[in-house]
Amino acid sequence: MELNTRVTGITGKNVQQAQFWKRLKKQKTLHLFVGLGMIFLLIFAYTPMFGIIMAFKNYSISTGIKGIFTSEWVGLKHFDEFVNDYQFGTIVRNTLALSFLKVIFAFPAPILLAILLNEVKNMRFKRFVQTISYLPHFISWVVVVGIAFTFLSADIGMVNKALLGLGMIDKPLDILTNPQYFWGLAVGSAVWKEMGWWTIIFLAAIAGINPALYEAAQIDGAGRLARIRHITFPGMKGTIVVVLILTIGSILGGGLVGSNFEQAFLFGNSINNPTSEIVQTYAFKVGLRDGRFSYAAAIDLVQSVISVILIFSSNYIAKRTSGSSLF
Amino acid sequence: MLLSQNQKDRMMNAWIYALLFIMMLSMLYPFYYVLILSFNKGTDSLLGGVYFWPRTFTFENYAQFLDDPHWYRAFLVTIVRTLAGAALGVLFTCLVAYGLSHRDLMFRRSYFTIIIFAMYFSGGLIPYYVVLRSVGLLNTFGVYVIPSMLSTFFLLIAISFFREIPGELKESAHMDGASELVIFYRIILPVSMPLIATMSLFMGVGQWNSWLDSAYFVQSEGLRTLAFRMMEVINKSNAPMDAIAVANSASAGVTSYSLQVAAMVVSIAPIVCVYPFLQRFFIQGIMLGSVKG
């Protein structure tokens, strides 16, 4: 096959073209398979990307998909409106706070768990703990919030009932409705849900460490903590950096450390609104509920642009400081 | 006091085991607690104090759950979308991946560029909604299964999986005059069970748990999913002072709270039952994906 194309390259364009069609004909079924996939992506991934321009227009849903292109331009009007929205400051603060708190608290949790698990020599126990630890990953946020409700609700929650029963508090803690508690609730539930899942990747990184290093360190008299510090941890560093970049890139969405939107939407209520309203829930409310499509698209776009900037800058910083990077 | 190396080691072991044990308990107990609550009489649960065993054992919650046409219907919709969604998703993703796994495929680079770009960038919720509306998927069952038919993440995993299959298998089938579709169906799929198991689990769990699409894209009551119904109940009872309303709605000892707990068990149970068996597959799958990343 390869020889053929090389020869035809010399003998002339017509032959080359004939070869091209012959090859294409031979592969036609394969191109049909792939083509179906491409059509799918065109409809469900690329058309929405072009739809971003509606953020700069006055789009009306009644005009359908055509309207994205035909509606009038209004430039940055919607962005301007968003920045001047009376809720803008609170929403942005909540989004950033939730995201960064999660990186600080939810990101190290799987690393710690992986190190702890690595120290367990009993394989059965280790596997059992692992299996249990990533079970919550497979449960939907709805159920996680439901579970949180059965434990924390002021009226029927088990924690409050137990604490009251023991006389440790005199009135129930309104964890689910007090704005003060929302960030802690979100971070805590994210740790509970996703910690075990991400240990899979860190344990794999540890498995890649040469066992001879441990033996050598032991002979040199390094204790267990010393071995963790000087062998296990450095061995995971590359993976940690890559996962951290990924985390920061998807930080506004909550990404690897638990969906911000689902948490804010499900844990959120009219009372904890001052700390639970984030960019995404707000975009959802003004967009799909109030029908202000262009305005919501503009809010969405702001968030995506910030995410792209975050992933590129964290990648750049990681490359400069540690040598590991995503791209 | 100086401890010997051996003693220090044992101390540390004790700490590690204790920490892991506590963590394990904190993950297991909530599931157990929900389970026992679902078997406890609803009005009794509101009094509190049920920790380790149902106090007044009853099947009433589950009976009520299956009696209520809303919950029942949602349960059915969820089962159908899970089976259909996973089957369609696995088949279609594998079919496209099979085409792309051929190293001599023409325009390969262009195809891959299109896929990778689609993986990293998205138009956001609002334009996506407009597209779904334009293709007539809003408010139909199709909105659950059609847009999730192709997963770019699993597409890449499947491509690298198919490349590991020895070419001789395909060639010999070619000699016998089999078409690509026959080769895909009769040869590629049967030897790809680990891949298919992983994809089925993830797509199935995704479908089973999904409530966002039900909230965004569907208005028809008959198409609501189990997760969506639960979200509704939780949202309602999450509002303060609602416990009184919850207690008032009690009939035959069942409260909306105990009904919700039963629904939660119904929604968790299939996952808990299936996933331990598929575990060894999906760890391979995830690792493959992260290496390619």
Side-chain angles (χ1 to χ4, degrees):
Chain A
M1 193 64 162
E2 213 180 16
L3 189 73
N4 256 342
T5 42
R6 216 178 301 153
V7 171
T8 52
I10 304 160
T11 46
K13 219 172 179 179
N14 283 342
V15 186
Q16 202 180 4
Q17 246 173 17
Q19 283 288 338
F20 174 87
W21 289 113
K22 200 177 153 198
R23 211 172 138 208
L24 193 62
K25 203 176 162 197
K26 213 179 138 200
Q27 294 185 344
K28 67 174 192 295
T29 327
L30 296 176
H31 284 285
L32 180 74
F33 295 168
V34 179
L36 287 173
M38 295 301 130
I39 292 171
F40 180 94
L41 288 181
L42 184 74
I43 297 172
F44 293 107
Y46 282 89
T47 322
M49 279 187 228
F50 290 114
I52 287 174
I53 57 169
M54 69 200 248
F56 304 93
K57 295 183 155 211
N58 254 345
Y59 174 77
S60 148
I61 188 79
S62 59
T63 52
I65 201 134
K66 266 203 329 276
I68 291 178
F69 304 99
T70 55
S71 49
E72 53 152 339
W73 289 93
V74 293
L76 297 176
K77 182 183 154 230
H78 300 297
F79 297 91
D80 201 48
E81 194 184 336
F82 179 45
V83 174
N84 290 314
D85 194 304
Y86 77 100
Q87 288 206 64
F88 178 77
T90 327
I91 296 168
V92 170
R93 183 204 63 186
N94 292 345
T95 310
L96 292 177
L98 207 55
S99 304
F100 283 100
L101 282 173
K102 277 196 195 167
V103 172
I104 295 167
F105 294 104
F107 174 72
I111 301 171
L112 280 175
L113 180 59
I115 291 175
L116 283 183
L117 277 171
N118 185 50
E119 295 296 316
V120 172
K121 295 291 166 278
N122 183 338
M123 285 311 283
R124 262 218 172 126
F125 181 71
K126 184 176 166 181
R127 194 154 304 153
F128 187 66
V129 173
Q130 250 193 297
T131 308
I132 300 298
S133 75
Y134 40 66
L135 178 60
H137 173 79
F138 289 90
I139 308 299
S140 80
W141 271 110
V142 177
V143 172
V144 173
V145 172
I147 290 175
F149 179 74
T150 58
F151 275 85
L152 302 173
S153 147
D155 307 307
I156 46 182
M158 169 181 171
V159 172
N160 273 319
K161 290 249 150 116
L163 288 178
L164 281 172
L166 292 171
M168 289 169 78
I169 46 174
D170 2 288
K171 66 180 180 69
L173 304 167
D174 45 357
I175 299 168
L176 294 166
T177 49
N178 191 329
Q180 238 182 313
Y181 295 122
F182 177 74
W183 293 349
L185 190 64
V187 173
S189 56
V191 170
W192 186 81
K193 189 170 189 292
E194 305 297 344
M195 171 169 72
W197 182 246
W198 286 95
T199 55
I200 295 180
I201 281 180
F202 294 115
L203 276 174
I206 294 176
I209 298 171
N210 185 355
L213 286 175
Y214 286 103
E215 282 161 34
Q218 198 158 16
I219 291 165
D220 288 345
R224 264 172 91 179
L225 278 176
R227 273 177 272 156
I228 291 173
R229 232 179 77 197
H230 298 292
I231 300 172
T232 312
F233 194 69
M236 298 163 79
K237 235 173 91 184
T239 310
I240 293 176
V241 170
V242 170
V243 176
L244 185 63
I245 298 169
L246 280 168
T247 308
I248 291 176
S250 57
I251 183 177
L252 292 186
L256 313 183
V257 280
S259 160
N260 281 352
F261 176 81
E262 292 194 58
Q263 287 186 312
F265 190 85
L266 294 166
F267 277 123
N269 51 49
S270 52
I271 303 177
N272 65 19
N273 197 45
T275 52
S276 70
E277 187 84 284
I278 60 172
V279 174
Q280 284 165 304
T281 50
Y282 189 66
F284 168 72
K285 280 172 197 163
V286 299
L288 296 191
R289 203 146 78 190
D290 305 344
R292 301 169 64 197
F293 287 86
S294 283
Y295 185 42
I299 300 173
D300 249 2
L301 184 57
V302 171
Q303 165 140 340
S304 322
V305 169
I306 296 173
S307 293
V308 170
I309 292 171
L310 277 175
I311 197 161
F312 277 99
S313 45
S314 58
N315 192 60
Y316 176 79
I317 294 168
K319 206 190 231 162
R320 288 293 295 270
T321 53
S322 74
S324 324
S325 66
L326 205 56
F327 37 77
Chain B
M1 186 183 76
L2 265 172
L3 294 171
S4 75
Q5 198 64 44
N6 202 358
Q7 275 171 309
K8 260 196 204 159
D9 241 36
R10 241 183 276 163
M11 275 263 290
M12 202 165 147
N13 260 340
W15 272 108
I16 290 168
Y17 276 84
L19 274 175
L20 287 177
F21 190 75
I22 291 169
M23 188 214 74
M24 204 170 69
L25 215 60
S26 80
M27 296 202 165
L28 267 185
Y29 183 69
F31 291 111
Y32 178 73
Y33 180 61
V34 170
L35 183 72
I36 56 170
L37 271 192
S38 73
F39 284 110
N40 200 43
K41 197 173 161 193
T43 38
D44 180 60
S45 300
L46 294 179
L47 303 174
V50 180
Y51 300 129
F52 303 107
W53 207 247
R55 191 164 44 203
T56 38
F57 188 88
T58 176
F59 284 115
E60 214 20 67
N61 299 320
Y62 289 99
Q64 190 95 351
F65 172 82
L66 287 177
D67 245 9
D68 184 338
H70 274 102
W71 283 108
Y72 187 69
R73 172 89 194 183
F75 189 45
L76 278 185
V77 169
T78 308
I79 290 176
V80 176
R81 79 170 281 185
T82 299
L83 296 177
L88 265 178
V90 170
L91 270 178
F92 189 61
T93 305
C94 282
L95 187 75
V96 178
Y98 174 65
L100 286 162
S101 69
H102 289 75
R103 286 173 201 279
D104 60 343
L105 188 78
M106 295 163 87
F107 320 119
R108 247 187 80 228
R109 284 184 156 270
S110 321
Y111 287 141
F112 271 92
T113 312
I114 292 172
I115 293 163
I116 304 286
F117 194 77
M119 211 174 162
Y120 284 103
F121 296 93
S122 84
L125 173 67
I126 306 298
Y128 186 63
Y129 177 87
V130 174
V131 168
L132 289 183
R133 188 175 184 273
S134 301
V135 294
L137 279 175
L138 280 196
N139 231 349
T140 63
F141 181 76
V143 81
Y144 293 146
V145 293
I146 291 172
S148 52
M149 258 168 59
L150 187 69
S151 146
T152 45
F153 174 73
F154 275 113
L155 192 61
L156 296 185
I157 288 180
I159 290 168
S160 52
F161 189 93
F162 291 156
R163 284 205 178 136
E164 302 292 313
I165 297 173
E168 289 81 9
L169 268 178
K170 276 183 276 178
E171 263 161 49
S172 64
H174 261 304
M175 303 275 202
D176 295 341
S179 70
E180 294 289 356
L181 201 61
V182 171
I183 295 175
F184 170 72
Y185 183 71
R186 302 286 287 272
I187 296 178
I188 300 297
L189 284 187
V191 299
S192 308
M193 278 339 268
L195 175 78
I196 290 173
T198 312
M199 284 174 72
S200 307
L201 174 74
F202 277 90
M203 290 181 169
V205 169
Q207 290 281 357
W208 183 263
N209 282 337
S210 179
W211 60 277
L212 277 170
D213 45 14
S214 191
Y216 286 160
F217 309 130
V218 168
Q219 269 110 46
S220 152
E221 285 299 312
L223 286 174
R224 298 301 193 193
T225 62
L226 196 57
F228 178 86
R229 287 272 174 233
M230 254 182 308
M231 187 274 285
E232 268 187 336
V233 177
I234 289 165
N235 259 2
K236 237 181 267 164
S237 40
N238 193 355
M241 298 308 293
D242 224 34
I244 301 149
V246 169
N248 284 344
S249 73
S251 71
V254 178
T255 64
S256 77
Y257 172 57
S258 65
L259 205 60
Q260 177 200 333
V261 174
M264 270 156 69
V265 173
V266 169
S267 122
I268 298 169
I271 296 171
V272 173
C273 294
V274 169
Y275 109 110
F277 300 102
L278 295 169
Q279 234 197 90
R280 70 197 161 94
F281 293 136
F282 73 65
I283 292 187
Q284 282 169 10
I286 271 299
M287 290 325 295
L288 196 61
S290 67
V291 171
K292 296 277 160 208

